[in-house]
Amino acid sequence: MKTEPNNNLRQFQQVLEIIEKNNHDKTHLITILQQVQDAYRYLPPQVLTYIATMLKMPVAEVYGVATFYAHFSLEAKGKYVIKVCDGTACHVKGSSKLLDTLYSKLKLSEKKHTTDDMMFTLEAVSCLGACGLAPVMVVNDKIYGEVNAKRCGEIVDNIINAELGEG
Amino acid sequence: MKTITKATLELIREHYNKSIKSVHKRIIVCAGTGCIANGSMLVYEALEKAIKATGMELFVELELDVHDDKKKVHLNGSGCQGFCAQGPLVNILPEETMYVKVKPEDALEIIERSILKDEVIERLLYVNPVTGERSRGQLDIPFYKLQNRLVLGECGHVDPENIREYIAHNGYFAAEKVFNHMTDVDVCDTLVDSGLRGRGGGGFSTGKKWHLTRVEKSDKKYVICNGDEGDPGAFMDRSLMEGNPHRVIEGIMIAARAINANEGYVYVRLEYPLAVKRMRKAIEDAMDAGILGENIFGSGKSMHISVMEGAGAFVCGEETALMASIEGKRGMPMPKPPFPAQKGLFGKPTVINNVETLAAVPLIIRNGASWFNQYGTSTSKGTKTFALTGHVANTGLIEVPFGTTLREIVYNIGGGVTDNDGKVTGDGFKAVQIGGPSGGCLTETDIDLPLDYDNLIAKGAMVGSGGLVVMNTQTCMVQIARFFMNFTQNESCGKCVPCREGTKQMLSLLDEIIEGNGTIETIELLQEVGKCVKKASLCGLGKTAPSPVLSTIEKFNDEYLQHVLKKRCATNNCKSLRNVTIDIEKCIGCTSCARKCPVGAISGEKKQPHVINSDLCTKCGVCNSVCKFNAILGF
Ligand SMILES: Cc1cc2nc3c(=O)[nH]c(=O)nc-3n(C[C@H](O)[C@H](O)[C@H](O)COP(=O)(O)O)c2cc1C
Ligand code: FES
């Protein structure tokens, strides 16, 4: 991909600030990636290359770390990230029913996580640490406890309605 | 640089206790993750508003000089109080009245009746589902009464974001003691005497581990607090970090003194944002107070702690992988030896301990080794926190001495086993899974087994981190084994072949059984591969990954046999093995299922009950979705 140098610089300004805040320290790579992902919502490939150059380390190594940890996403995520807990406590309380409901409602699957309109990303995660309220789901930062198939549909409907209202 | 002395700690404690006395009432709202999810912050705001409306003085932070005798109310949020199923919880002191399932609408009434007057609102009290009795305070509720909350003690009482309140509860006095009045050897010896064993899974003696690191000569040593808590179904460490972060920090300081380290890390998993926030705030406050930093308590020693957030990898709970992760690398385990005590973080001697282990340490220093080891069994001293979840009436966070039985935990504290709709049943439990993906299952026959490290290992399970998942009779154990296998297979880091490939093979063998293609040989092969993975894997993840499978095959052999020989799943959880039939009472013979069945397996006369030919049926579920009379059984 060819980009204007100036444009490039501006594009990576935020990444550069993050790297500088971490003193160009290789051992802070995970923290750097976390902060970059917070800013961009995902880790675009050019950014990984840029980070590697700035930290003077092989791109493969940065890429290796970025792909090792489940939290890092090399693909853009939707506006609403829905995490359905499939930890032990939630599993025995029927979390797979929630997943089935949401997969079919949002037309997603275990392979396809994000809706085409970039509105929702659906992920199955293991344990959110609220097992006392199993089954649990989280939308962005809000935790919902004791969710059943009906309620998780309603939660998504409410978001869609709110979005339509705004749009 | 600011330092603090024992005299100052005492002064803070005294002032604080004085100002507490001048407060007319205290309201503590549980602000643990469970209660927040149930809306406790809305309750908090509503209470705040209601207090202001009455014109009483409201304190969210206790002031040090309050001398007038106007009615004052102190409102604060606390960490997890444990009784998550009944949240949001509101406690009123000094009466110790506990209200459960409080809604924002109740706030005004609480203020008017229980704060301005001394009345108790019956409707908000906990009702014992068995006896129908209402319990007024924590001490009357069986869930609490039967526990020994030592490590969790202040969790749920103190405001986790207020360092002065922690000091007022004798906090940081133990740290002062070890920095100024004990030698490193004394500290390690006290821990050895206490019998404290690691709560992170391995159960290694904490005192011995510290001694091993203490004797290493190095200019730099580290203490790491392992807050990765990867076991799905466990949330003890989360609750401790959220509910009493200063205790964890004090534990880290004591460990640092014992091994002569001056730098520490707290590694917290990323799913716990509140724990990260509270730990960071607590460290900042301790720095500001002069408790952390340079010249601690005037001892000339220094200590700095930073918090690092994980990035979502179960294997990073393993100590060597965790250290790789702090160093900014892929979190892959390393072969041991060298042990972290010799070559740990950045190649330096390192002590790594679990959150709960470290949280117990200040208590041991404060109260003495013999106080601690009066609790527990001969080989497992002290208490253990468990996350009690699954099909049990009172889900939540509990703490009991080692040696407590499942009968006590599931029935007396937990309030009994529930069915899939959440109602308490008399059927008992089918299994209690303990130790997460590394653990195994206990059954009703183990109901009176005193739970401790060694008894559990002997039963093919382990204490692990302390997730205790109760499963009712409607649970398919083959599915549970598959669930854990799927988890470990996903989380296998891929470094060693036995774990990477072995878990994959085990998962596909389990799938064969679940899909109805298994034979006796499948089970045998599963056991053989399992034993091989257990023996040959590099780290604890692989070494314990087969445990849930092997343990269920042993304890629920009949169920496995039924799956492979009869191709039946008695609990109807395995889709392919479902026995799909038609309820002749409900079927009115509308024929819609017969018309929709893609393989023509359903036949029958119009207006007469239909039947399914099980030889043809593929259990696709179309009949179930078209039937308007709920007449299809097996889904
Ligand atoms: C796969 C795997 C995951 C682990 N996860 C954790 C964990 O989440 N928390 C923890 O404290 N220890 C965990 N451990 C145990 C640690 O390696 C280590 O033994 C422990 O933190 C030592 O602390 P302790 O002596 O206080 O128990 C894990 C071990 C393995 C093999
Ligand atoms: S298992 Fe779902 S929150 Fe813990």
mmCIF file of all heavy atoms in Angstrom, chain A residues 84-92 95 125-137 143, chain B residues 231-235 238 269 272 389 469 483, ligand 2:
data_model
loop_
_atom_site.group_PDB
_atom_site.id
_atom_site.type_symbol
_atom_site.label_atom_id
_atom_site.label_comp_id
_atom_site.label_asym_id
_atom_site.label_seq_id
_atom_site.Cartn_x
_atom_site.Cartn_y
_atom_site.Cartn_z
ATOM 1 N N VAL A 84 -20.488 -13.300 25.401
ATOM 2 C CA VAL A 84 -21.320 -14.243 26.145
ATOM 3 C C VAL A 84 -20.376 -15.161 26.887
ATOM 4 O O VAL A 84 -19.471 -15.748 26.296
ATOM 5 C CB VAL A 84 -22.231 -15.038 25.200
ATOM 6 C CG1 VAL A 84 -22.972 -16.118 25.960
ATOM 7 C CG2 VAL A 84 -23.203 -14.116 24.504
ATOM 8 N N CYS A 85 -20.562 -15.271 28.187
ATOM 9 C CA CYS A 85 -19.661 -16.108 28.954
ATOM 10 C C CYS A 85 -19.970 -17.567 28.712
ATOM 11 O O CYS A 85 -21.121 -17.992 28.787
ATOM 12 C CB CYS A 85 -19.776 -15.809 30.444
ATOM 13 S SG CYS A 85 -18.686 -16.880 31.389
ATOM 14 N N ASP A 86 -18.941 -18.334 28.383
ATOM 15 C CA ASP A 86 -19.104 -19.779 28.297
ATOM 16 C C ASP A 86 -18.102 -20.427 29.251
ATOM 17 O O ASP A 86 -17.455 -21.407 28.937
ATOM 18 C CB ASP A 86 -18.923 -20.256 26.854
ATOM 19 C CG ASP A 86 -19.476 -21.657 26.652
ATOM 20 O OD1 ASP A 86 -20.314 -22.085 27.465
ATOM 21 O OD2 ASP A 86 -19.065 -22.338 25.692
ATOM 22 N N GLY A 87 -17.965 -19.854 30.423
ATOM 23 C CA GLY A 87 -17.161 -20.469 31.480
ATOM 24 C C GLY A 87 -17.964 -21.601 32.100
ATOM 25 O O GLY A 87 -19.123 -21.820 31.751
ATOM 26 N N THR A 88 -17.344 -22.313 33.026
ATOM 27 C CA THR A 88 -17.991 -23.512 33.566
ATOM 28 C C THR A 88 -19.348 -23.212 34.186
ATOM 29 O O THR A 88 -20.345 -23.875 33.894
ATOM 30 C CB THR A 88 -17.101 -24.148 34.642
ATOM 31 O OG1 THR A 88 -15.759 -24.043 34.218
ATOM 32 C CG2 THR A 88 -17.467 -25.587 34.853
ATOM 33 N N ALA A 89 -19.378 -22.197 35.049
ATOM 34 C CA ALA A 89 -20.622 -21.912 35.761
ATOM 35 C C ALA A 89 -21.716 -21.525 34.782
ATOM 36 O O ALA A 89 -22.856 -21.978 34.896
ATOM 37 C CB ALA A 89 -20.392 -20.804 36.775
ATOM 38 N N CYS A 90 -21.355 -20.693 33.810
ATOM 39 C CA CYS A 90 -22.350 -20.255 32.834
ATOM 40 C C CYS A 90 -22.735 -21.406 31.917
ATOM 41 O O CYS A 90 -23.884 -21.539 31.515
ATOM 42 C CB CYS A 90 -21.818 -19.080 32.027
ATOM 43 S SG CYS A 90 -21.629 -17.605 33.056
ATOM 44 N N HIS A 91 -21.762 -22.236 31.581
ATOM 45 C CA HIS A 91 -22.041 -23.359 30.690
ATOM 46 C C HIS A 91 -23.078 -24.296 31.290
ATOM 47 O O HIS A 91 -24.037 -24.665 30.628
ATOM 48 C CB HIS A 91 -20.745 -24.114 30.394
ATOM 49 C CG HIS A 91 -20.920 -25.199 29.374
ATOM 50 N ND1 HIS A 91 -20.953 -24.939 28.028
ATOM 51 C CD2 HIS A 91 -21.107 -26.530 29.507
ATOM 52 C CE1 HIS A 91 -21.136 -26.072 27.376
ATOM 53 N NE2 HIS A 91 -21.232 -27.058 28.247
ATOM 54 N N VAL A 92 -22.892 -24.653 32.565
ATOM 55 C CA VAL A 92 -23.851 -25.594 33.149
ATOM 56 C C VAL A 92 -25.218 -24.935 33.337
ATOM 57 O O VAL A 92 -26.220 -25.609 33.464
ATOM 58 C CB VAL A 92 -23.398 -26.228 34.493
ATOM 59 C CG1 VAL A 92 -22.090 -26.954 34.340
ATOM 60 C CG2 VAL A 92 -23.317 -25.216 35.599
ATOM 61 N N SER A 95 -25.443 -21.469 28.931
ATOM 62 C CA SER A 95 -25.009 -20.347 28.104
ATOM 63 C C SER A 95 -25.039 -20.679 26.618
ATOM 64 O O SER A 95 -25.137 -19.789 25.789
ATOM 65 C CB SER A 95 -23.599 -19.912 28.500
ATOM 66 O OG SER A 95 -22.708 -20.982 28.373
ATOM 67 N N VAL A 125 -16.661 -16.034 25.514
ATOM 68 C CA VAL A 125 -15.456 -15.905 26.337
ATOM 69 C C VAL A 125 -15.560 -16.850 27.522
ATOM 70 O O VAL A 125 -16.649 -17.333 27.852
ATOM 71 C CB VAL A 125 -15.255 -14.464 26.849
ATOM 72 C CG1 VAL A 125 -15.077 -13.513 25.694
ATOM 73 C CG2 VAL A 125 -16.424 -14.033 27.705
ATOM 74 N N SER A 126 -14.420 -17.127 28.155
ATOM 75 C CA SER A 126 -14.498 -18.012 29.300
ATOM 76 C C SER A 126 -14.363 -17.221 30.581
ATOM 77 O O SER A 126 -13.319 -16.675 30.861
ATOM 78 C CB SER A 126 -13.420 -19.090 29.234
ATOM 79 O OG SER A 126 -12.247 -18.550 28.723
ATOM 80 N N CYS A 127 -15.410 -17.143 31.291
ATOM 81 C CA CYS A 127 -15.500 -16.563 32.625
ATOM 82 C C CYS A 127 -15.221 -15.076 32.716
ATOM 83 O O CYS A 127 -14.130 -14.596 32.444
ATOM 84 C CB CYS A 127 -14.621 -17.269 33.646
ATOM 85 S SG CYS A 127 -15.149 -16.856 35.308
ATOM 86 N N LEU A 128 -16.243 -14.366 33.123
ATOM 87 C CA LEU A 128 -16.125 -12.925 33.339
ATOM 88 C C LEU A 128 -16.027 -12.637 34.825
ATOM 89 O O LEU A 128 -16.030 -11.494 35.245
ATOM 90 C CB LEU A 128 -17.337 -12.224 32.729
ATOM 91 C CG LEU A 128 -17.416 -12.403 31.208
ATOM 92 C CD1 LEU A 128 -18.824 -12.251 30.702
ATOM 93 C CD2 LEU A 128 -16.492 -11.407 30.529
ATOM 94 N N GLY A 129 -15.965 -13.693 35.623
ATOM 95 C CA GLY A 129 -15.804 -13.488 37.066
ATOM 96 C C GLY A 129 -17.072 -13.038 37.761
ATOM 97 O O GLY A 129 -17.022 -12.477 38.838
ATOM 98 N N ALA A 130 -18.220 -13.282 37.156
ATOM 99 C CA ALA A 130 -19.479 -12.955 37.810
ATOM 100 C C ALA A 130 -20.320 -14.219 37.888
ATOM 101 O O ALA A 130 -21.535 -14.190 37.735
ATOM 102 C CB ALA A 130 -20.212 -11.854 37.051
ATOM 103 N N CYS A 131 -19.631 -15.340 38.133
ATOM 104 C CA CYS A 131 -20.242 -16.667 38.016
ATOM 105 C C CYS A 131 -21.452 -16.841 38.928
ATOM 106 O O CYS A 131 -22.301 -17.685 38.679
ATOM 107 C CB CYS A 131 -19.234 -17.750 38.338
ATOM 108 S SG CYS A 131 -17.561 -17.335 37.881
ATOM 109 N N GLY A 132 -21.528 -16.033 40.001
ATOM 110 C CA GLY A 132 -22.669 -16.124 40.905
ATOM 111 C C GLY A 132 -23.967 -15.760 40.196
ATOM 112 O O GLY A 132 -25.046 -16.077 40.677
ATOM 113 N N LEU A 133 -23.853 -15.067 39.069
ATOM 114 C CA LEU A 133 -25.050 -14.616 38.361
ATOM 115 C C LEU A 133 -25.225 -15.353 37.050
ATOM 116 O O LEU A 133 -25.888 -14.883 36.143
ATOM 117 C CB LEU A 133 -24.944 -13.118 38.064
ATOM 118 C CG LEU A 133 -24.709 -12.216 39.255
ATOM 119 C CD1 LEU A 133 -24.485 -10.801 38.795
ATOM 120 C CD2 LEU A 133 -25.898 -12.277 40.179
ATOM 121 N N ALA A 134 -24.596 -16.497 36.900
ATOM 122 C CA ALA A 134 -24.591 -17.220 35.634
ATOM 123 C C ALA A 134 -26.020 -17.486 35.158
ATOM 124 O O ALA A 134 -26.891 -17.710 35.987
ATOM 125 C CB ALA A 134 -23.854 -18.549 35.813
ATOM 126 N N PRO A 135 -26.240 -17.509 33.843
ATOM 127 C CA PRO A 135 -25.308 -17.133 32.774
ATOM 128 C C PRO A 135 -25.197 -15.619 32.589
ATOM 129 O O PRO A 135 -26.143 -14.897 32.766
ATOM 130 C CB PRO A 135 -25.929 -17.769 31.530
ATOM 131 C CG PRO A 135 -27.347 -18.022 31.851
ATOM 132 C CD PRO A 135 -27.506 -18.037 33.332
ATOM 133 N N VAL A 136 -23.992 -15.225 32.191
ATOM 134 C CA VAL A 136 -23.648 -13.811 32.161
ATOM 135 C C VAL A 136 -23.297 -13.380 30.737
ATOM 136 O O VAL A 136 -22.693 -14.134 29.992
ATOM 137 C CB VAL A 136 -22.412 -13.571 33.062
ATOM 138 C CG1 VAL A 136 -21.951 -12.134 32.980
ATOM 139 C CG2 VAL A 136 -22.707 -13.940 34.503
ATOM 140 N N MET A 137 -23.718 -12.174 30.374
ATOM 141 C CA MET A 137 -23.195 -11.586 29.136
ATOM 142 C C MET A 137 -22.835 -10.126 29.354
ATOM 143 O O MET A 137 -23.355 -9.475 30.258
ATOM 144 C CB MET A 137 -24.159 -11.767 27.969
ATOM 145 C CG MET A 137 -25.372 -10.879 27.944
ATOM 146 S SD MET A 137 -26.395 -11.335 26.511
ATOM 147 C CE MET A 137 -26.477 -9.780 25.659
ATOM 148 N N ILE A 143 -22.458 -5.350 32.413
ATOM 149 C CA ILE A 143 -22.652 -6.769 32.679
ATOM 150 C C ILE A 143 -24.133 -7.068 32.883
ATOM 151 O O ILE A 143 -24.826 -6.347 33.593
ATOM 152 C CB ILE A 143 -21.897 -7.181 33.958
ATOM 153 C CG1 ILE A 143 -20.414 -6.891 33.812
ATOM 154 C CG2 ILE A 143 -22.120 -8.640 34.275
ATOM 155 C CD1 ILE A 143 -19.599 -7.271 35.027
ATOM 156 N N ASP B 231 -9.131 -20.000 35.777
ATOM 157 C CA ASP B 231 -10.121 -21.064 35.935
ATOM 158 C C ASP B 231 -11.526 -20.511 35.701
ATOM 159 O O ASP B 231 -11.984 -19.665 36.448
ATOM 160 C CB ASP B 231 -9.973 -21.617 37.374
ATOM 161 C CG ASP B 231 -11.085 -22.583 37.749
ATOM 162 O OD1 ASP B 231 -11.968 -22.844 36.919
ATOM 163 O OD2 ASP B 231 -11.066 -23.065 38.890
ATOM 164 N N PRO B 232 -12.200 -20.960 34.628
ATOM 165 C CA PRO B 232 -13.534 -20.411 34.389
ATOM 166 C C PRO B 232 -14.473 -20.933 35.467
ATOM 167 O O PRO B 232 -14.560 -22.140 35.681
ATOM 168 C CB PRO B 232 -13.907 -20.965 33.011
ATOM 169 C CG PRO B 232 -13.071 -22.186 32.839
ATOM 170 C CD PRO B 232 -11.836 -22.018 33.674
ATOM 171 N N GLY B 233 -15.159 -20.070 36.143
ATOM 172 C CA GLY B 233 -16.037 -20.512 37.219
ATOM 173 C C GLY B 233 -15.452 -20.159 38.573
ATOM 174 O O GLY B 233 -15.906 -20.650 39.585
ATOM 175 N N ALA B 234 -14.414 -19.322 38.584
ATOM 176 C CA ALA B 234 -13.804 -18.929 39.855
ATOM 177 C C ALA B 234 -13.678 -17.421 39.893
ATOM 178 O O ALA B 234 -13.369 -16.798 38.881
ATOM 179 C CB ALA B 234 -12.421 -19.568 39.989
ATOM 180 N N PHE B 235 -13.934 -16.827 41.031
ATOM 181 C CA PHE B 235 -13.804 -15.372 41.119
ATOM 182 C C PHE B 235 -13.376 -14.911 42.500
ATOM 183 O O PHE B 235 -13.692 -13.826 42.954
ATOM 184 C CB PHE B 235 -15.107 -14.675 40.702
ATOM 185 C CG PHE B 235 -16.327 -15.127 41.447
ATOM 186 C CD1 PHE B 235 -16.809 -14.389 42.512
ATOM 187 C CD2 PHE B 235 -16.997 -16.280 41.093
ATOM 188 C CE1 PHE B 235 -17.929 -14.798 43.208
ATOM 189 C CE2 PHE B 235 -18.124 -16.703 41.786
ATOM 190 C CZ PHE B 235 -18.588 -15.959 42.847
ATOM 191 N N ARG B 238 -10.544 -12.214 42.116
ATOM 192 C CA ARG B 238 -11.171 -10.981 41.678
ATOM 193 C C ARG B 238 -11.794 -10.259 42.877
ATOM 194 O O ARG B 238 -11.582 -9.065 43.074
ATOM 195 C CB ARG B 238 -12.260 -11.301 40.659
ATOM 196 C CG ARG B 238 -13.187 -10.154 40.481
ATOM 197 C CD ARG B 238 -14.227 -10.361 39.418
ATOM 198 N NE ARG B 238 -14.482 -9.058 38.838
ATOM 199 C CZ ARG B 238 -14.978 -8.843 37.648
ATOM 200 N NH1 ARG B 238 -15.274 -9.862 36.886
ATOM 201 N NH2 ARG B 238 -15.169 -7.645 37.216
ATOM 202 N N ARG B 269 -5.873 -10.418 35.189
ATOM 203 C CA ARG B 269 -6.422 -10.723 33.864
ATOM 204 C C ARG B 269 -7.317 -9.588 33.388
ATOM 205 O O ARG B 269 -7.929 -8.865 34.159
ATOM 206 C CB ARG B 269 -7.139 -12.065 33.848
ATOM 207 C CG ARG B 269 -8.421 -12.153 34.607
ATOM 208 C CD ARG B 269 -8.786 -13.598 34.764
ATOM 209 N NE ARG B 269 -9.271 -14.139 33.511
ATOM 210 C CZ ARG B 269 -10.521 -14.515 33.301
ATOM 211 N NH1 ARG B 269 -11.410 -14.410 34.251
ATOM 212 N NH2 ARG B 269 -10.905 -15.013 32.145
ATOM 213 N N TYR B 272 -10.952 -8.350 34.231
ATOM 214 C CA TYR B 272 -11.259 -7.779 35.538
ATOM 215 C C TYR B 272 -10.917 -6.289 35.608
ATOM 216 O O TYR B 272 -10.048 -5.879 36.387
ATOM 217 C CB TYR B 272 -10.446 -8.500 36.621
ATOM 218 C CG TYR B 272 -10.808 -9.947 36.883
ATOM 219 C CD1 TYR B 272 -10.100 -10.685 37.821
ATOM 220 C CD2 TYR B 272 -11.862 -10.564 36.222
ATOM 221 C CE1 TYR B 272 -10.418 -12.007 38.078
ATOM 222 C CE2 TYR B 272 -12.185 -11.890 36.473
ATOM 223 C CZ TYR B 272 -11.451 -12.605 37.408
ATOM 224 O OH TYR B 272 -11.760 -13.910 37.673
ATOM 225 N N THR B 389 -20.763 -22.182 42.651
ATOM 226 C CA THR B 389 -21.616 -21.809 41.512
ATOM 227 C C THR B 389 -22.294 -23.035 40.930
ATOM 228 O O THR B 389 -22.102 -24.148 41.410
ATOM 229 C CB THR B 389 -20.786 -21.151 40.393
ATOM 230 O OG1 THR B 389 -19.806 -22.085 39.963
ATOM 231 C CG2 THR B 389 -20.131 -19.881 40.848
ATOM 232 N N VAL B 469 -18.123 -26.089 41.142
ATOM 233 C CA VAL B 469 -19.320 -26.001 40.319
ATOM 234 C C VAL B 469 -20.217 -27.200 40.587
ATOM 235 O O VAL B 469 -19.821 -28.345 40.340
ATOM 236 C CB VAL B 469 -18.958 -25.941 38.821
ATOM 237 C CG1 VAL B 469 -20.205 -25.685 37.988
ATOM 238 C CG2 VAL B 469 -17.925 -24.863 38.568
ATOM 239 N N PHE B 483 -16.532 -30.097 27.366
ATOM 240 C CA PHE B 483 -16.444 -28.662 27.624
ATOM 241 C C PHE B 483 -15.038 -28.281 28.105
ATOM 242 O O PHE B 483 -14.411 -27.340 27.594
ATOM 243 C CB PHE B 483 -17.493 -28.252 28.665
ATOM 244 C CG PHE B 483 -17.284 -26.878 29.214
ATOM 245 C CD1 PHE B 483 -17.648 -25.773 28.478
ATOM 246 C CD2 PHE B 483 -16.690 -26.694 30.454
ATOM 247 C CE1 PHE B 483 -17.435 -24.499 28.963
ATOM 248 C CE2 PHE B 483 -16.469 -25.421 30.945
ATOM 249 C CZ PHE B 483 -16.838 -24.320 30.202
HETATM 250 S S1 FES C 2 -18.356 -18.867 34.362
HETATM 251 FE FE1 FES C 2 -19.464 -17.235 33.489
HETATM 252 S S2 FES C 2 -18.889 -15.558 34.709
HETATM 253 FE FE2 FES C 2 -17.681 -17.172 35.494
#
